[in-house]
Amino acid sequence: MNELQTIYVNLIQKGTAGMQPLLIQYSDYTQWQHARLTGKYLERLTTYWTTTIRNTEPADKNARLPTKYSGCSLKFSLNVEMTERIQFMCRKENCTLFMLLHAVFSLFIYRRFNISSFNIGIPVSGRNHPDIEGLIGFFVNTLVIGHSIDSSMSFRLLLEVVRQRILQAFEHDELPFDLLVRALKVERLPGGRQPLFRFMHVHHNYRHGHYQQHQKPASINSLEMSGDDKFPIMKRMDLPSTQAKFELTFISDDSSTEEFLLEFNYDRSLFQHDEVKEMKDSFMEILLQALVFPEKTLMI
Protein backbone atom coordinates (compact mmCIF):
# COMPACT_ATOMS: atom_id res chain seq x y z
CA MET A 1 0.00 0.00 0.00
CA ASN A 2 2.90 2.34 0.70
CA GLU A 3 4.24 1.77 -2.80
CA LEU A 4 0.80 2.38 -4.32
CA GLN A 5 0.55 5.69 -2.48
CA THR A 6 4.07 6.69 -3.50
CA ILE A 7 3.47 5.86 -7.17
CA TYR A 8 0.17 7.75 -7.20
CA VAL A 9 1.67 10.85 -5.60
CA ASN A 10 4.71 10.82 -7.91
CA LEU A 11 2.55 10.44 -11.03
CA ILE A 12 0.42 13.41 -10.04
CA GLN A 13 3.30 15.65 -8.99
CA LYS A 14 6.13 14.57 -11.29
CA GLY A 15 4.49 12.59 -14.10
CA THR A 16 6.59 9.51 -13.33
CA ALA A 17 6.38 6.65 -10.86
CA GLY A 18 9.82 7.48 -9.51
CA MET A 19 10.36 4.19 -7.68
CA GLN A 20 13.84 3.17 -6.67
CA PRO A 21 15.00 -0.22 -8.02
CA LEU A 22 14.98 -3.08 -5.54
CA LEU A 23 18.31 -4.23 -4.18
CA ILE A 24 17.35 -7.90 -4.49
CA GLN A 25 14.64 -10.00 -6.15
CA TYR A 26 12.53 -12.81 -4.71
CA SER A 27 14.65 -15.37 -6.57
CA ASP A 28 17.68 -14.08 -4.67
CA TYR A 29 15.85 -14.63 -1.40
CA THR A 30 14.83 -18.19 -2.29
CA GLN A 31 18.42 -19.07 -3.22
CA TRP A 32 19.67 -17.59 0.06
CA GLN A 33 17.03 -19.49 2.05
CA HIS A 34 17.82 -22.76 0.28
CA ALA A 35 21.53 -22.36 1.03
CA ARG A 36 20.89 -21.35 4.65
CA LEU A 37 18.51 -24.18 5.56
CA THR A 38 21.08 -26.96 5.40
CA GLY A 39 23.42 -28.89 7.64
CA LYS A 40 23.67 -28.23 11.35
CA TYR A 41 21.56 -25.06 11.21
CA LEU A 42 18.60 -26.93 9.71
CA GLU A 43 19.16 -29.76 12.19
CA ARG A 44 19.10 -27.31 15.11
CA LEU A 45 15.84 -25.71 13.95
CA THR A 46 14.21 -29.09 13.31
CA THR A 47 15.28 -30.49 16.67
CA TYR A 48 13.89 -27.48 18.54
CA TRP A 49 10.48 -27.63 16.89
CA THR A 50 10.00 -31.39 16.91
CA THR A 51 10.95 -31.55 20.57
CA THR A 52 8.72 -28.63 21.51
CA ILE A 53 5.66 -29.84 19.65
CA ARG A 54 5.94 -33.50 20.60
CA ASN A 55 5.93 -32.46 24.25
CA THR A 56 2.64 -30.59 23.86
CA GLU A 57 0.58 -32.62 21.41
CA PRO A 58 -3.20 -32.29 21.95
CA ALA A 59 -4.48 -34.90 24.37
CA ASP A 60 -8.11 -34.88 23.23
CA LYS A 61 -7.96 -36.84 19.99
CA ASN A 62 -11.74 -37.29 20.16
CA ALA A 63 -12.57 -33.59 20.01
CA ARG A 64 -15.45 -32.54 17.77
CA LEU A 65 -14.38 -32.74 14.15
CA PRO A 66 -15.26 -30.00 11.69
CA THR A 67 -17.42 -31.17 8.81
CA LYS A 68 -16.73 -28.23 6.50
CA TYR A 69 -14.77 -24.99 6.31
CA SER A 70 -17.82 -22.75 6.52
CA GLY A 71 -17.10 -20.02 9.02
CA CYS A 72 -18.30 -16.81 10.57
CA SER A 73 -16.81 -14.10 12.77
CA LEU A 74 -17.77 -12.21 15.89
CA LYS A 75 -16.01 -8.86 16.28
CA PHE A 76 -15.65 -6.85 19.46
CA SER A 77 -13.39 -4.16 20.89
CA LEU A 78 -11.86 -3.04 24.16
CA ASN A 79 -12.92 0.19 25.81
CA VAL A 80 -10.49 2.93 26.79
CA GLU A 81 -10.21 1.81 30.42
CA MET A 82 -9.44 -1.79 29.47
CA THR A 83 -6.95 -0.62 26.85
CA GLU A 84 -5.09 1.51 29.39
CA ARG A 85 -5.01 -1.38 31.87
CA ILE A 86 -3.51 -3.65 29.21
CA GLN A 87 -0.88 -1.11 28.19
CA PHE A 88 0.08 -0.61 31.83
CA MET A 89 0.49 -4.36 32.43
CA CYS A 90 2.54 -4.75 29.25
CA ARG A 91 4.96 -2.09 30.48
CA LYS A 92 5.08 -3.57 33.98
CA GLU A 93 5.65 -7.15 32.82
CA ASN A 94 8.01 -6.18 29.98
CA CYS A 95 5.92 -7.90 27.33
CA THR A 96 4.17 -6.95 24.10
CA LEU A 97 0.44 -6.65 23.56
CA PHE A 98 0.58 -9.80 21.44
CA MET A 99 2.19 -11.77 24.27
CA LEU A 100 -0.37 -10.64 26.83
CA LEU A 101 -3.36 -11.37 24.61
CA HIS A 102 -1.84 -14.71 23.63
CA ALA A 103 -1.55 -15.64 27.32
CA VAL A 104 -5.19 -14.67 27.87
CA PHE A 105 -6.27 -16.68 24.82
CA SER A 106 -4.39 -19.74 26.07
CA LEU A 107 -6.06 -19.40 29.47
CA PHE A 108 -9.41 -19.07 27.72
CA ILE A 109 -8.77 -22.32 25.82
CA TYR A 110 -7.72 -24.08 29.02
CA ARG A 111 -10.94 -23.11 30.75
CA ARG A 112 -13.39 -23.27 27.87
CA PHE A 113 -12.28 -26.57 26.37
CA ASN A 114 -10.95 -28.15 29.57
CA ILE A 115 -7.57 -29.07 28.07
CA SER A 116 -4.23 -28.31 29.71
CA SER A 117 -1.83 -29.30 26.92
CA PHE A 118 -2.37 -27.87 23.45
CA ASN A 119 -0.80 -25.92 20.60
CA ILE A 120 -1.72 -22.56 19.10
CA GLY A 121 -0.60 -21.62 15.62
CA ILE A 122 0.62 -18.10 14.92
CA PRO A 123 1.46 -16.66 11.47
CA VAL A 124 4.59 -14.53 11.11
CA SER A 125 5.37 -12.20 8.22
CA GLY A 126 8.85 -13.59 7.57
CA ARG A 127 10.00 -10.14 6.40
CA ASN A 128 12.68 -9.74 9.05
CA HIS A 129 15.12 -7.68 7.00
CA PRO A 130 14.63 -4.22 5.40
CA ASP A 131 15.88 -5.46 2.01
CA ILE A 132 12.93 -7.84 1.58
CA GLU A 133 10.18 -5.52 2.81
CA GLY A 134 9.48 -4.23 -0.67
CA LEU A 135 9.57 -7.59 -2.45
CA ILE A 136 6.50 -9.25 -3.89
CA GLY A 137 6.56 -12.86 -2.78
CA PHE A 138 5.40 -15.34 -0.18
CA PHE A 139 7.31 -14.99 3.08
CA VAL A 140 4.63 -15.90 5.62
CA ASN A 141 5.39 -18.81 7.93
CA THR A 142 3.36 -20.53 10.65
CA LEU A 143 4.85 -21.14 14.08
CA VAL A 144 3.38 -23.54 16.62
CA ILE A 145 3.39 -22.39 20.24
CA GLY A 146 3.05 -25.21 22.76
CA HIS A 147 1.15 -24.67 25.99
CA SER A 148 1.03 -26.77 29.17
CA ILE A 149 -1.05 -25.02 31.79
CA ASP A 150 -1.04 -25.92 35.48
CA SER A 151 -3.98 -24.76 37.58
CA SER A 152 -1.62 -23.81 40.40
CA MET A 153 0.03 -21.15 38.22
CA SER A 154 -0.83 -17.48 38.52
CA PHE A 155 -1.57 -15.41 35.45
CA ARG A 156 1.66 -13.46 36.00
CA LEU A 157 3.62 -16.72 35.87
CA LEU A 158 1.66 -17.91 32.83
CA LEU A 159 2.43 -14.62 31.08
CA GLU A 160 6.15 -15.02 31.73
CA VAL A 161 6.08 -18.60 30.45
CA VAL A 162 4.23 -17.50 27.31
CA ARG A 163 6.64 -14.62 26.84
CA GLN A 164 9.65 -16.92 26.95
CA ARG A 165 8.09 -19.46 24.58
CA ILE A 166 7.20 -16.81 22.04
CA LEU A 167 10.70 -15.32 22.20
CA GLN A 168 12.20 -18.78 21.70
CA ALA A 169 9.82 -19.43 18.80
CA PHE A 170 10.87 -16.20 17.11
CA GLU A 171 14.52 -17.20 17.52
CA HIS A 172 13.73 -20.38 15.54
CA ASP A 173 11.21 -18.93 13.08
CA GLU A 174 13.09 -19.77 9.88
CA LEU A 175 11.99 -23.40 9.65
CA PRO A 176 9.18 -23.52 7.04
CA PHE A 177 5.98 -25.10 8.31
CA ASP A 178 5.95 -27.72 5.55
CA LEU A 179 9.41 -28.94 6.61
CA LEU A 180 8.17 -29.21 10.19
CA VAL A 181 5.15 -31.30 9.12
CA ARG A 182 7.46 -33.52 7.09
CA ALA A 183 9.86 -33.95 10.02
CA LEU A 184 7.02 -34.86 12.39
CA LYS A 185 5.56 -37.33 9.85
CA VAL A 186 2.02 -36.34 10.76
CA GLU A 187 -1.10 -36.79 8.67
CA ARG A 188 -4.37 -34.92 8.66
CA LEU A 189 -6.92 -36.31 11.07
CA PRO A 190 -10.43 -37.48 10.01
CA GLY A 191 -12.69 -34.72 8.76
CA GLY A 192 -9.77 -32.66 7.45
CA ARG A 193 -8.73 -31.61 10.93
CA GLN A 194 -5.28 -30.03 11.17
CA PRO A 195 -3.01 -32.39 13.16
CA LEU A 196 -0.77 -29.88 14.94
CA PHE A 197 -3.22 -27.32 16.30
CA ARG A 198 -6.92 -26.56 16.50
CA PHE A 199 -6.55 -22.91 17.44
CA MET A 200 -4.78 -19.97 15.84
CA HIS A 201 -3.90 -16.47 17.04
CA VAL A 202 -3.45 -13.79 14.38
CA HIS A 203 -2.13 -10.41 15.51
CA HIS A 204 -2.09 -7.29 13.32
CA ASN A 205 0.22 -4.47 14.36
CA TYR A 206 0.75 -2.48 11.18
CA ARG A 207 1.49 0.70 13.16
CA HIS A 208 4.59 -0.98 14.62
CA GLY A 209 5.67 -2.90 11.54
CA HIS A 210 9.32 -3.37 10.59
CA TYR A 211 8.75 -1.61 7.27
CA GLN A 212 7.44 1.53 8.93
CA GLN A 213 10.48 1.69 11.18
CA HIS A 214 12.77 1.98 8.17
CA GLN A 215 10.75 3.94 5.63
CA LYS A 216 8.33 6.79 5.90
CA PRO A 217 5.53 6.29 3.36
CA ALA A 218 4.19 9.20 1.39
CA SER A 219 1.07 10.66 2.91
CA ILE A 220 -1.67 11.45 0.43
CA ASN A 221 -3.56 13.40 3.06
CA SER A 222 -0.66 15.81 3.55
CA LEU A 223 -0.60 16.98 -0.09
CA GLU A 224 -1.87 20.44 -0.99
CA MET A 225 -3.65 20.48 -4.35
CA SER A 226 -5.39 23.26 -6.21
CA GLY A 227 -8.50 23.19 -8.37
CA ASP A 228 -10.75 20.18 -8.48
CA ASP A 229 -7.99 17.58 -8.03
CA LYS A 230 -9.07 14.96 -5.51
CA PHE A 231 -6.95 12.37 -3.81
CA PRO A 232 -8.42 9.06 -2.70
CA ILE A 233 -8.33 8.29 0.98
CA MET A 234 -7.18 4.72 1.54
CA LYS A 235 -9.22 2.96 4.16
CA ARG A 236 -9.29 -0.61 5.32
CA MET A 237 -12.39 -2.57 4.31
CA ASP A 238 -13.50 -5.52 6.43
CA LEU A 239 -15.28 -8.06 4.27
CA PRO A 240 -17.71 -10.59 5.76
CA SER A 241 -15.96 -13.79 6.79
CA THR A 242 -17.47 -16.95 5.31
CA GLN A 243 -14.62 -19.40 5.91
CA ALA A 244 -12.87 -20.87 8.93
CA LYS A 245 -9.52 -22.53 8.38
CA PHE A 246 -9.40 -23.73 11.99
CA GLU A 247 -11.76 -24.62 14.77
CA LEU A 248 -11.28 -21.22 16.38
CA THR A 249 -9.07 -18.29 15.36
CA PHE A 250 -8.51 -15.36 17.67
CA ILE A 251 -7.64 -12.14 15.81
CA SER A 252 -6.22 -9.14 17.67
CA ASP A 253 -5.72 -5.86 15.86
CA ASP A 254 -3.45 -3.10 17.14
CA SER A 255 -3.43 -1.12 13.88
CA SER A 256 -6.00 1.41 15.07
CA THR A 257 -4.81 4.40 17.06
CA GLU A 258 -8.09 4.58 18.96
CA GLU A 259 -8.95 1.09 20.19
CA PHE A 260 -7.96 -2.57 20.25
CA LEU A 261 -10.09 -4.61 17.87
CA LEU A 262 -10.67 -8.31 18.57
CA GLU A 263 -12.38 -11.07 16.64
CA PHE A 264 -13.32 -14.74 16.94
CA ASN A 265 -13.43 -16.56 13.61
CA TYR A 266 -15.12 -19.93 14.14
CA ASP A 267 -16.19 -23.08 12.34
CA ARG A 268 -19.97 -22.97 11.99
CA SER A 269 -20.18 -26.76 12.03
CA LEU A 270 -18.83 -26.70 15.59
CA PHE A 271 -20.20 -23.55 17.17
CA GLN A 272 -23.47 -21.65 17.14
CA HIS A 273 -23.41 -17.86 17.09
CA ASP A 274 -24.94 -17.60 20.57
CA GLU A 275 -22.28 -19.97 21.87
CA VAL A 276 -19.55 -17.76 20.44
CA LYS A 277 -21.15 -14.74 22.10
CA GLU A 278 -20.81 -16.57 25.40
CA MET A 279 -17.19 -17.34 24.52
CA LYS A 280 -16.57 -13.66 23.90
CA ASP A 281 -18.04 -12.77 27.30
CA SER A 282 -15.93 -15.47 28.92
CA PHE A 283 -12.79 -14.19 27.21
CA MET A 284 -13.46 -10.64 28.38
CA GLU A 285 -14.04 -11.82 31.94
CA ILE A 286 -10.77 -13.78 31.91
CA LEU A 287 -8.95 -10.74 30.54
CA LEU A 288 -10.36 -8.48 33.23
CA GLN A 289 -9.52 -10.95 36.01
CA ALA A 290 -5.97 -11.27 34.67
CA LEU A 291 -5.52 -7.51 34.73
CA VAL A 292 -7.03 -6.99 38.18
CA PHE A 293 -5.76 -10.13 39.95
CA PRO A 294 -2.59 -11.28 38.14
CA GLU A 295 -1.38 -13.24 41.20
CA LYS A 296 -4.55 -15.32 41.51
CA THR A 297 -4.19 -19.01 40.63
CA LEU A 298 -5.66 -20.27 37.37
CA MET A 299 -7.75 -22.95 39.06
CA ILE A 300 -11.06 -23.38 37.24
Side-chain angles (χ1 to χ4, degrees), residues 15-284:
T16 177
M19 296 296 294
Q20 295 295 325
L22 296 173
L23 296 177
I24 61 174
Q25 298 295 327
Y26 186 70
S27 59
D28 299 319
Y29 167 79
T30 58
Q31 292 178 13
W32 171 84
Q33 183 188 50
H34 181 74
R36 181 171 173 81
L37 294 178
T38 56
K40 292 184 178 180
Y41 184 64
L42 176 60
E43 182 180 351
R44 181 169 69 85
L45 292 177
T46 304
T47 300
Y48 169 80
W49 284 111
T50 53
T51 303
T52 301
I53 294 176
R54 281 173 178 158
N55 289 340
T56 56
E57 286 182 344
D60 58 335
K61 300 294 185 180
N62 297 320
R64 294 181 297 178
L65 301 180
T67 57
K68 58 184 72 173
Y69 292 98
S70 175
C72 194
S73 289
L74 176 65
K75 299 181 181 181
F76 51 106
S77 61
L78 304 179
N79 58 35
V80 175
E81 180 182 359
M82 186 77 79
T83 298
E84 292 176 348
R85 284 177 176 268
I86 290 175
Q87 291 172 334
F88 176 79
M89 175 168 276
C90 287
R91 291 192 296 268
K92 185 176 181 180
E93 302 299 329
N94 191 30
C95 69
T96 64
L97 172 66
F98 166 68
M99 293 173 179
L100 190 147
L101 292 178
H102 192 85
V104 174
F105 184 47
S106 68
L107 179 54
F108 164 80
I109 292 173
Y110 165 69
R111 290 184 174 175
R112 182 74 191 189
F113 299 94
N114 195 28
I115 50 177
S116 59
S117 180
F118 53 91
N119 299 319
I120 300 177
I122 61 171
V124 290
S125 68
R127 297 178 182 267
N128 50 14
H129 192 280
D131 288 346
I132 63 175
E133 291 291 351
L135 292 183
I136 296 177
F138 187 77
F139 297 89
V140 176
N141 194 21
T142 299
L143 307 182
V144 184
I145 308 298
H147 295 270
S148 296
I149 297 181
D150 188 331
S151 61
S152 64
M153 300 170 67
S154 66
F155 179 77
R156 175 166 281 123
L157 177 58
L158 173 63
L159 178 58
E160 177 58 25
V161 171
V162 168
R163 176 179 175 274
Q164 292 297 329
R165 286 180 179 169
I166 289 177
L167 290 175
Q168 291 173 7
F170 287 164
E171 290 178 0
H172 300 82
D173 65 353
E174 290 189 50
L175 183 69
F177 185 72
D178 60 321
L179 293 186
L180 172 60
V181 173
R182 192 182 308 170
L184 291 172
K185 299 179 180 179
V186 293
E187 298 179 357
R188 283 190 176 272
L189 302 177
R193 179 177 159 199
Q194 217 272 10
L196 296 184
F197 54 88
R198 298 160 51 187
F199 313 102
M200 174 166 272
H201 179 193
V202 179
H203 184 68
H204 300 305
N205 61 339
Y206 304 119
R207 288 189 296 123
H208 311 294
H210 189 76
Y211 177 77
Q212 292 168 326
Q213 294 175 7
H214 291 273
Q215 301 187 38
K216 184 177 181 180
S219 175
I220 288 179
N221 296 333
S222 66
L223 294 179
E224 296 181 2
M225 299 297 296
S226 60
D228 296 327
D229 292 324
K230 301 293 183 180
F231 282 89
I233 303 301
M234 294 186 180
K235 295 183 178 180
R236 174 177 171 177
M237 295 182 61
D238 291 320
L239 301 177
S241 177
T242 59
Q243 291 184 328
K245 297 180 180 179
F246 303 95
E247 184 172 328
L248 182 66
T249 299
F250 172 54
I251 303 172
S252 51
D253 190 338
D254 186 27
S255 59
S256 172
T257 58
E258 300 176 353
E259 58 183 350
F260 290 154
L261 306 176
L262 306 177
E263 177 179 342
F264 277 146
N265 174 258
Y266 59 94
D267 191 313
R268 296 176 63 187
S269 66
L270 298 178
F271 305 107
Q272 299 295 322
H273 189 68
D274 289 342
E275 184 180 1
V276 179
K277 285 184 176 180
E278 293 178 1
M279 292 164 61
K280 183 264 292 184
D281 293 339
S282 176
F283 177 90
M284 293 298 290

Side-chain angles (χ1 to χ4, degrees), residues 1-11 19 218 220 234:
M1 296 303 295
N2 287 337
E3 286 189 359
L4 181 60
Q5 287 187 353
T6 300
I7 291 173
Y8 187 91
V9 170
N10 287 342
L11 287 174
M19 296 296 294
I220 288 179
M234 294 186 180

